[in-house]
Amino acid sequence: MTLKSFFQFSNEQRSGIFMLFTISIALQLSYFFIDFTTAEKDSKEKLQWLAFQTEVDSLKQVQYDYVPKIYPFNPNFITDFKGYKLGMSVSEIDRLLAYRKLNKYVNSAVEFQQVTKVSDSLLNAISPYFKFPDWVTNKSNTNSYAQKSFSKFNKKEKIVILDINLATQEDLVKVYGIGAGLSERILKQKEILGGFVSMEQMKDVWGLSPEVIESLNKSFKVSVQPKLKKVNVNNASVKDLSQFPYFRYALAKTIVTYRSMNGDIKTKEDLLKIRNFPVDKVDIIALYLDFN
């Protein structure tokens, strides 16, 4: 077999080679002139998901950008939760609470830092919101004569004790630690009860700290027992008893059951025999009840 024989093709072979060459050229040209990339067809569900994800991302950004608004407050009455929100450590909060248990008050940002040992950066961040009583903020530290006169005046000043049932909102807000909200709450409680029979009832007013209650006891008392519209404990229905502030529905129902099984309730000692009766408040509750 000679080399020449390799290049001798039949008509069918030549046609096949030509066809193969044509196809190869066509494929090469199509590669350059035809765009084979297909546009991704997003499904309706995917478009909705993308829109929802965009909304979620925007809400996250709003949350990241949110800075809690701090309102003016008296640093002497910072609670554990309030101190945590301000960025104080547990030990710093504990130092302040221990200082307050000694019945002492901080009267400046400098004193606050001395007591709590907070950092300068935290003090600079929260001290602009400190709100001290007017008699503290208006006091001149350099005027020793004024300080002596103020101290002398305090020693001679006689505290006038008012009847808590005659106190107005203006009288109540004079007590250190009581503002418009707490004073309204006290007056509302008095209105519901028809009058206070004991200063111990200040403990039932939500929001009054032990320190504020102690200050209230120095300025107010129950001088005269108020004229009360008493609840007849032997004739009142479950509904009527449950409307009395010291009785919930369950207790009112228990009282009526006890009454039907044991007869009339004649004294406060009989009240102590009723299941789940608030024993610690029986002396106060009895003054609001009619046993006839």
Side-chain angles (χ1 to χ4, degrees), residues 42 60-61 63 71 87 98-99 121 123 156-157 175 185 187 196 203 208-209 211 214 219 224 232 236 255 273 291-292:
D42 293 330
K60 286 183 177 179
Q61 188 61 42
Q63 182 178 6
Y71 295 93
Y99 186 77
S121 58
L123 182 69
K156 290 185 176 181
E157 183 182 11
V175 176
R185 205 171 293 162
L187 294 175
F196 295 115
K203 296 178 181 179
L208 293 183
S209 66
E211 292 83 4
E214 183 180 351
S219 301
V224 180
N232 192 310
I255 292 173
K273 301 175 184 177
F291 296 97
N292 296 323

PDB file of all heavy atoms in Angstrom, residues 42 60-61 63 71 87 98-99 121 123 156-157 175 185 187 196 203 208-209 211 214 219 224 232 236 255 273 291-292:
ATOM      1  N   ASP A  42     -37.760  33.986  36.611  1.00  0.00           N
ATOM      2  CA  ASP A  42     -38.089  33.862  38.029  1.00  0.00           C
ATOM      3  C   ASP A  42     -39.551  33.483  38.203  1.00  0.00           C
ATOM      4  O   ASP A  42     -40.435  34.064  37.569  1.00  0.00           O
ATOM      5  CB  ASP A  42     -37.815  35.184  38.757  1.00  0.00           C
ATOM      6  CG  ASP A  42     -36.329  35.505  38.791  1.00  0.00           C
ATOM      7  OD1 ASP A  42     -35.538  34.549  38.807  1.00  0.00           O
ATOM      8  OD2 ASP A  42     -35.981  36.708  38.779  1.00  0.00           O
ATOM      9  N   LYS A  60     -34.851  45.030  59.702  1.00  0.00           N
ATOM     10  CA  LYS A  60     -33.649  44.773  60.490  1.00  0.00           C
ATOM     11  C   LYS A  60     -32.808  46.023  60.601  1.00  0.00           C
ATOM     12  O   LYS A  60     -32.257  46.336  61.663  1.00  0.00           O
ATOM     13  CB  LYS A  60     -32.834  43.650  59.854  1.00  0.00           C
ATOM     14  CG  LYS A  60     -33.429  42.262  60.039  1.00  0.00           C
ATOM     15  CD  LYS A  60     -32.515  41.217  59.433  1.00  0.00           C
ATOM     16  CE  LYS A  60     -33.061  39.814  59.662  1.00  0.00           C
ATOM     17  NZ  LYS A  60     -32.191  38.787  59.055  1.00  0.00           N
ATOM     18  N   GLN A  61     -32.697  46.748  59.507  1.00  0.00           N
ATOM     19  CA  GLN A  61     -31.892  47.966  59.527  1.00  0.00           C
ATOM     20  C   GLN A  61     -32.498  49.003  60.451  1.00  0.00           C
ATOM     21  O   GLN A  61     -31.779  49.706  61.169  1.00  0.00           O
ATOM     22  CB  GLN A  61     -31.778  48.535  58.102  1.00  0.00           C
ATOM     23  CG  GLN A  61     -30.801  49.710  57.990  1.00  0.00           C
ATOM     24  CD  GLN A  61     -29.398  49.320  58.376  1.00  0.00           C
ATOM     25  OE1 GLN A  61     -28.920  48.253  58.011  1.00  0.00           O
ATOM     26  NE2 GLN A  61     -28.725  50.179  59.131  1.00  0.00           N
ATOM     27  N   GLN A  63     -34.238  48.313  63.078  1.00  0.00           N
ATOM     28  CA  GLN A  63     -33.963  47.855  64.426  1.00  0.00           C
ATOM     29  C   GLN A  63     -32.528  48.170  64.836  1.00  0.00           C
ATOM     30  O   GLN A  63     -32.260  48.581  65.955  1.00  0.00           O
ATOM     31  CB  GLN A  63     -34.210  46.346  64.514  1.00  0.00           C
ATOM     32  CG  GLN A  63     -33.998  45.774  65.916  1.00  0.00           C
ATOM     33  CD  GLN A  63     -34.298  44.297  65.963  1.00  0.00           C
ATOM     34  OE1 GLN A  63     -34.553  43.684  64.937  1.00  0.00           O
ATOM     35  NE2 GLN A  63     -34.248  43.731  67.146  1.00  0.00           N
ATOM     36  N   TYR A  71     -35.682  59.329  78.994  1.00  0.00           N
ATOM     37  CA  TYR A  71     -36.352  60.481  79.557  1.00  0.00           C
ATOM     38  C   TYR A  71     -35.637  60.899  80.845  1.00  0.00           C
ATOM     39  O   TYR A  71     -34.972  60.088  81.490  1.00  0.00           O
ATOM     40  CB  TYR A  71     -37.818  60.155  79.855  1.00  0.00           C
ATOM     41  CG  TYR A  71     -38.633  59.868  78.614  1.00  0.00           C
ATOM     42  CD1 TYR A  71     -38.786  58.552  78.152  1.00  0.00           C
ATOM     43  CD2 TYR A  71     -39.233  60.890  77.895  1.00  0.00           C
ATOM     44  CE1 TYR A  71     -39.525  58.276  77.008  1.00  0.00           C
ATOM     45  CE2 TYR A  71     -39.973  60.623  76.754  1.00  0.00           C
ATOM     46  CZ  TYR A  71     -40.121  59.324  76.321  1.00  0.00           C
ATOM     47  OH  TYR A  71     -40.843  59.057  75.189  1.00  0.00           O
ATOM     48  N   GLY A  87     -26.975  50.507  80.862  1.00  0.00           N
ATOM     49  CA  GLY A  87     -25.642  49.985  80.607  1.00  0.00           C
ATOM     50  C   GLY A  87     -24.798  49.790  81.849  1.00  0.00           C
ATOM     51  O   GLY A  87     -23.597  49.535  81.746  1.00  0.00           O
ATOM     52  N   ALA A  98     -27.232  49.778  97.746  1.00  0.00           N
ATOM     53  CA  ALA A  98     -26.717  49.708  99.115  1.00  0.00           C
ATOM     54  C   ALA A  98     -26.611  51.103  99.723  1.00  0.00           C
ATOM     55  O   ALA A  98     -26.901  51.311 100.909  1.00  0.00           O
ATOM     56  CB  ALA A  98     -25.345  49.027  99.115  1.00  0.00           C
ATOM     57  N   TYR A  99     -26.233  52.078  98.916  1.00  0.00           N
ATOM     58  CA  TYR A  99     -26.130  53.470  99.379  1.00  0.00           C
ATOM     59  C   TYR A  99     -27.506  54.011  99.749  1.00  0.00           C
ATOM     60  O   TYR A  99     -27.662  54.710 100.751  1.00  0.00           O
ATOM     61  CB  TYR A  99     -25.499  54.313  98.269  1.00  0.00           C
ATOM     62  CG  TYR A  99     -25.188  55.738  98.652  1.00  0.00           C
ATOM     63  CD1 TYR A  99     -24.073  56.051  99.432  1.00  0.00           C
ATOM     64  CD2 TYR A  99     -26.001  56.787  98.211  1.00  0.00           C
ATOM     65  CE1 TYR A  99     -23.776  57.366  99.765  1.00  0.00           C
ATOM     66  CE2 TYR A  99     -25.709  58.099  98.540  1.00  0.00           C
ATOM     67  CZ  TYR A  99     -24.595  58.382  99.314  1.00  0.00           C
ATOM     68  OH  TYR A  99     -24.300  59.692  99.649  1.00  0.00           O
ATOM     69  N   SER A 121     -17.086  57.321  80.467  1.00  0.00           N
ATOM     70  CA  SER A 121     -17.852  57.292  79.220  1.00  0.00           C
ATOM     71  C   SER A 121     -19.339  57.062  79.485  1.00  0.00           C
ATOM     72  O   SER A 121     -20.194  57.721  78.896  1.00  0.00           O
ATOM     73  CB  SER A 121     -17.312  56.197  78.299  1.00  0.00           C
ATOM     74  OG  SER A 121     -17.372  54.926  78.943  1.00  0.00           O
ATOM     75  N   LEU A 123     -20.911  57.686  82.343  1.00  0.00           N
ATOM     76  CA  LEU A 123     -21.414  58.858  83.063  1.00  0.00           C
ATOM     77  C   LEU A 123     -21.723  59.986  82.096  1.00  0.00           C
ATOM     78  O   LEU A 123     -22.763  60.651  82.204  1.00  0.00           O
ATOM     79  CB  LEU A 123     -20.386  59.315  84.105  1.00  0.00           C
ATOM     80  CG  LEU A 123     -20.824  60.507  84.969  1.00  0.00           C
ATOM     81  CD1 LEU A 123     -21.948  60.101  85.909  1.00  0.00           C
ATOM     82  CD2 LEU A 123     -19.638  61.050  85.767  1.00  0.00           C
ATOM     83  N   LYS A 156     -35.746  74.679 112.229  1.00  0.00           N
ATOM     84  CA  LYS A 156     -36.846  75.360 112.904  1.00  0.00           C
ATOM     85  C   LYS A 156     -38.199  75.037 112.288  1.00  0.00           C
ATOM     86  O   LYS A 156     -39.224  75.228 112.919  1.00  0.00           O
ATOM     87  CB  LYS A 156     -36.625  76.878 112.869  1.00  0.00           C
ATOM     88  CG  LYS A 156     -35.462  77.331 113.748  1.00  0.00           C
ATOM     89  CD  LYS A 156     -35.379  78.847 113.757  1.00  0.00           C
ATOM     90  CE  LYS A 156     -34.283  79.348 114.698  1.00  0.00           C
ATOM     91  NZ  LYS A 156     -34.197  80.807 114.737  1.00  0.00           N
ATOM     92  N   GLU A 157     -38.156  74.573 111.009  1.00  0.00           N
ATOM     93  CA  GLU A 157     -39.420  74.329 110.310  1.00  0.00           C
ATOM     94  C   GLU A 157     -40.164  73.156 110.951  1.00  0.00           C
ATOM     95  O   GLU A 157     -39.595  72.096 111.203  1.00  0.00           O
ATOM     96  CB  GLU A 157     -39.154  74.020 108.837  1.00  0.00           C
ATOM     97  CG  GLU A 157     -40.425  73.835 108.041  1.00  0.00           C
ATOM     98  CD  GLU A 157     -40.135  73.490 106.597  1.00  0.00           C
ATOM     99  OE1 GLU A 157     -38.971  73.188 106.292  1.00  0.00           O
ATOM    100  OE2 GLU A 157     -41.072  73.526 105.791  1.00  0.00           O
ATOM    101  N   VAL A 175     -44.289  65.745  98.395  1.00  0.00           N
ATOM    102  CA  VAL A 175     -43.508  64.658  98.991  1.00  0.00           C
ATOM    103  C   VAL A 175     -42.454  64.208  97.998  1.00  0.00           C
ATOM    104  O   VAL A 175     -42.750  63.977  96.815  1.00  0.00           O
ATOM    105  CB  VAL A 175     -44.419  63.475  99.380  1.00  0.00           C
ATOM    106  CG1 VAL A 175     -43.588  62.309  99.918  1.00  0.00           C
ATOM    107  CG2 VAL A 175     -45.445  63.920 100.405  1.00  0.00           C
ATOM    108  N   ARG A 185     -52.816  58.408  91.264  1.00  0.00           N
ATOM    109  CA  ARG A 185     -53.099  57.019  91.623  1.00  0.00           C
ATOM    110  C   ARG A 185     -53.579  56.920  93.078  1.00  0.00           C
ATOM    111  O   ARG A 185     -54.468  56.146  93.399  1.00  0.00           O
ATOM    112  CB  ARG A 185     -51.842  56.187  91.406  1.00  0.00           C
ATOM    113  CG  ARG A 185     -52.103  54.715  91.152  1.00  0.00           C
ATOM    114  CD  ARG A 185     -50.837  54.022  90.726  1.00  0.00           C
ATOM    115  NE  ARG A 185     -50.389  54.490  89.428  1.00  0.00           N
ATOM    116  CZ  ARG A 185     -49.162  54.324  88.960  1.00  0.00           C
ATOM    117  NH1 ARG A 185     -48.270  53.701  89.693  1.00  0.00           N
ATOM    118  NH2 ARG A 185     -48.830  54.764  87.765  1.00  0.00           N
ATOM    119  N   LEU A 187     -55.094  59.325  94.821  1.00  0.00           N
ATOM    120  CA  LEU A 187     -56.435  59.915  94.894  1.00  0.00           C
ATOM    121  C   LEU A 187     -57.481  58.987  94.284  1.00  0.00           C
ATOM    122  O   LEU A 187     -58.623  58.915  94.768  1.00  0.00           O
ATOM    123  CB  LEU A 187     -56.445  61.270  94.181  1.00  0.00           C
ATOM    124  CG  LEU A 187     -55.581  62.367  94.832  1.00  0.00           C
ATOM    125  CD1 LEU A 187     -55.573  63.617  93.963  1.00  0.00           C
ATOM    126  CD2 LEU A 187     -56.075  62.692  96.228  1.00  0.00           C
ATOM    127  N   PHE A 196     -59.413  56.397 103.009  1.00  0.00           N
ATOM    128  CA  PHE A 196     -58.426  55.517 103.647  1.00  0.00           C
ATOM    129  C   PHE A 196     -58.713  55.428 105.145  1.00  0.00           C
ATOM    130  O   PHE A 196     -59.058  56.423 105.782  1.00  0.00           O
ATOM    131  CB  PHE A 196     -57.013  56.064 103.436  1.00  0.00           C
ATOM    132  CG  PHE A 196     -56.564  56.066 101.997  1.00  0.00           C
ATOM    133  CD1 PHE A 196     -56.322  57.259 101.333  1.00  0.00           C
ATOM    134  CD2 PHE A 196     -56.379  54.875 101.314  1.00  0.00           C
ATOM    135  CE1 PHE A 196     -55.897  57.273 100.015  1.00  0.00           C
ATOM    136  CE2 PHE A 196     -55.961  54.869  99.989  1.00  0.00           C
ATOM    137  CZ  PHE A 196     -55.721  56.069  99.336  1.00  0.00           C
ATOM    138  N   LYS A 203     -49.396  50.909 100.918  1.00  0.00           N
ATOM    139  CA  LYS A 203     -48.675  49.772 100.347  1.00  0.00           C
ATOM    140  C   LYS A 203     -49.478  49.118  99.219  1.00  0.00           C
ATOM    141  O   LYS A 203     -48.906  48.372  98.414  1.00  0.00           O
ATOM    142  CB  LYS A 203     -48.393  48.728 101.436  1.00  0.00           C
ATOM    143  CG  LYS A 203     -47.471  49.221 102.545  1.00  0.00           C
ATOM    144  CD  LYS A 203     -47.270  48.160 103.606  1.00  0.00           C
ATOM    145  CE  LYS A 203     -46.367  48.662 104.737  1.00  0.00           C
ATOM    146  NZ  LYS A 203     -46.188  47.640 105.799  1.00  0.00           N
ATOM    147  N   LEU A 208     -45.586  52.855  94.578  1.00  0.00           N
ATOM    148  CA  LEU A 208     -45.003  53.571  95.717  1.00  0.00           C
ATOM    149  C   LEU A 208     -43.901  52.717  96.343  1.00  0.00           C
ATOM    150  O   LEU A 208     -44.148  51.600  96.796  1.00  0.00           O
ATOM    151  CB  LEU A 208     -46.081  53.877  96.762  1.00  0.00           C
ATOM    152  CG  LEU A 208     -47.167  54.880  96.368  1.00  0.00           C
ATOM    153  CD1 LEU A 208     -48.110  55.121  97.546  1.00  0.00           C
ATOM    154  CD2 LEU A 208     -46.552  56.204  95.923  1.00  0.00           C
ATOM    155  N   SER A 209     -42.687  53.237  96.341  1.00  0.00           N
ATOM    156  CA  SER A 209     -41.569  52.519  96.932  1.00  0.00           C
ATOM    157  C   SER A 209     -41.616  52.655  98.452  1.00  0.00           C
ATOM    158  O   SER A 209     -42.272  53.558  98.992  1.00  0.00           O
ATOM    159  CB  SER A 209     -40.251  53.090  96.407  1.00  0.00           C
ATOM    160  OG  SER A 209     -40.069  54.419  96.855  1.00  0.00           O
ATOM    161  N   GLU A 211     -39.442  53.821 100.399  1.00  0.00           N
ATOM    162  CA  GLU A 211     -38.900  55.130 100.797  1.00  0.00           C
ATOM    163  C   GLU A 211     -39.961  56.228 100.668  1.00  0.00           C
ATOM    164  O   GLU A 211     -40.075  57.105 101.527  1.00  0.00           O
ATOM    165  CB  GLU A 211     -37.682  55.483  99.934  1.00  0.00           C
ATOM    166  CG  GLU A 211     -36.470  54.602 100.167  1.00  0.00           C
ATOM    167  CD  GLU A 211     -36.537  53.295  99.395  1.00  0.00           C
ATOM    168  OE1 GLU A 211     -37.497  53.122  98.611  1.00  0.00           O
ATOM    169  OE2 GLU A 211     -35.639  52.457  99.562  1.00  0.00           O
ATOM    170  N   GLU A 214     -42.533  55.876 103.382  1.00  0.00           N
ATOM    171  CA  GLU A 214     -41.987  56.409 104.637  1.00  0.00           C
ATOM    172  C   GLU A 214     -42.109  57.933 104.674  1.00  0.00           C
ATOM    173  O   GLU A 214     -42.465  58.515 105.711  1.00  0.00           O
ATOM    174  CB  GLU A 214     -40.525  55.993 104.774  1.00  0.00           C
ATOM    175  CG  GLU A 214     -39.874  56.438 106.078  1.00  0.00           C
ATOM    176  CD  GLU A 214     -38.422  56.010 106.176  1.00  0.00           C
ATOM    177  OE1 GLU A 214     -37.967  55.225 105.325  1.00  0.00           O
ATOM    178  OE2 GLU A 214     -37.733  56.475 107.108  1.00  0.00           O
ATOM    179  N   SER A 219     -45.703  63.045 106.543  1.00  0.00           N
ATOM    180  CA  SER A 219     -46.490  64.233 106.187  1.00  0.00           C
ATOM    181  C   SER A 219     -47.990  64.029 106.294  1.00  0.00           C
ATOM    182  O   SER A 219     -48.742  65.002 106.342  1.00  0.00           O
ATOM    183  CB  SER A 219     -46.147  64.677 104.747  1.00  0.00           C
ATOM    184  OG  SER A 219     -44.776  64.981 104.627  1.00  0.00           O
ATOM    185  N   VAL A 224     -59.116  61.442 111.145  1.00  0.00           N
ATOM    186  CA  VAL A 224     -60.515  61.108 111.448  1.00  0.00           C
ATOM    187  C   VAL A 224     -60.953  60.000 110.499  1.00  0.00           C
ATOM    188  O   VAL A 224     -60.700  60.078 109.292  1.00  0.00           O
ATOM    189  CB  VAL A 224     -61.435  62.342 111.285  1.00  0.00           C
ATOM    190  CG1 VAL A 224     -62.882  61.966 111.594  1.00  0.00           C
ATOM    191  CG2 VAL A 224     -60.967  63.486 112.170  1.00  0.00           C
ATOM    192  N   ASN A 232     -72.354  45.224 103.227  1.00  0.00           N
ATOM    193  CA  ASN A 232     -72.977  44.271 104.143  1.00  0.00           C
ATOM    194  C   ASN A 232     -72.526  42.863 103.758  1.00  0.00           C
ATOM    195  O   ASN A 232     -72.991  42.287 102.778  1.00  0.00           O
ATOM    196  CB  ASN A 232     -74.504  44.367 104.085  1.00  0.00           C
ATOM    197  CG  ASN A 232     -75.163  43.609 105.229  1.00  0.00           C
ATOM    198  OD1 ASN A 232     -74.850  42.452 105.480  1.00  0.00           O
ATOM    199  ND2 ASN A 232     -76.088  44.272 105.915  1.00  0.00           N
ATOM    200  N   ALA A 236     -74.756  40.865 100.892  1.00  0.00           N
ATOM    201  CA  ALA A 236     -74.267  41.196  99.560  1.00  0.00           C
ATOM    202  C   ALA A 236     -74.133  39.940  98.700  1.00  0.00           C
ATOM    203  O   ALA A 236     -73.773  38.862  99.189  1.00  0.00           O
ATOM    204  CB  ALA A 236     -72.908  41.900  99.661  1.00  0.00           C
ATOM    205  N   ILE A 255     -66.842  33.454 100.253  1.00  0.00           N
ATOM    206  CA  ILE A 255     -67.531  34.096 101.381  1.00  0.00           C
ATOM    207  C   ILE A 255     -69.009  33.719 101.382  1.00  0.00           C
ATOM    208  O   ILE A 255     -69.592  33.383 102.421  1.00  0.00           O
ATOM    209  CB  ILE A 255     -67.358  35.625 101.318  1.00  0.00           C
ATOM    210  CG1 ILE A 255     -65.894  36.003 101.576  1.00  0.00           C
ATOM    211  CG2 ILE A 255     -68.269  36.325 102.326  1.00  0.00           C
ATOM    212  CD1 ILE A 255     -65.595  37.477 101.370  1.00  0.00           C
ATOM    213  N   LYS A 273     -61.820  32.611 109.411  1.00  0.00           N
ATOM    214  CA  LYS A 273     -62.164  31.207 109.202  1.00  0.00           C
ATOM    215  C   LYS A 273     -62.454  30.904 107.732  1.00  0.00           C
ATOM    216  O   LYS A 273     -62.616  29.737 107.367  1.00  0.00           O
ATOM    217  CB  LYS A 273     -63.398  30.850 110.048  1.00  0.00           C
ATOM    218  CG  LYS A 273     -63.207  31.080 111.546  1.00  0.00           C
ATOM    219  CD  LYS A 273     -64.497  30.830 112.303  1.00  0.00           C
ATOM    220  CE  LYS A 273     -64.357  31.156 113.785  1.00  0.00           C
ATOM    221  NZ  LYS A 273     -65.632  30.984 114.522  1.00  0.00           N
ATOM    222  N   PHE A 291     -71.492  44.054 109.500  1.00  0.00           N
ATOM    223  CA  PHE A 291     -71.785  42.688 109.905  1.00  0.00           C
ATOM    224  C   PHE A 291     -73.236  42.501 110.367  1.00  0.00           C
ATOM    225  O   PHE A 291     -73.592  41.398 110.801  1.00  0.00           O
ATOM    226  CB  PHE A 291     -70.841  42.285 111.072  1.00  0.00           C
ATOM    227  CG  PHE A 291     -69.402  42.257 110.667  1.00  0.00           C
ATOM    228  CD1 PHE A 291     -68.584  43.348 110.917  1.00  0.00           C
ATOM    229  CD2 PHE A 291     -68.848  41.154 110.046  1.00  0.00           C
ATOM    230  CE1 PHE A 291     -67.250  43.331 110.567  1.00  0.00           C
ATOM    231  CE2 PHE A 291     -67.508  41.123 109.671  1.00  0.00           C
ATOM    232  CZ  PHE A 291     -66.701  42.223 109.931  1.00  0.00           C
ATOM    233  N   ASN A 292     -74.049  43.536 110.291  1.00  0.00           N
ATOM    234  CA  ASN A 292     -75.443  43.431 110.744  1.00  0.00           C
ATOM    235  C   ASN A 292     -76.322  42.772 109.694  1.00  0.00           C
ATOM    236  O   ASN A 292     -76.073  42.816 108.511  1.00  0.00           O
ATOM    237  CB  ASN A 292     -75.995  44.818 111.083  1.00  0.00           C
ATOM    238  CG  ASN A 292     -75.239  45.440 112.255  1.00  0.00           C
ATOM    239  OD1 ASN A 292     -74.853  44.729 113.185  1.00  0.00           O
ATOM    240  ND2 ASN A 292     -75.013  46.736 112.200  1.00  0.00           N
TER     241      ASN A 292
END
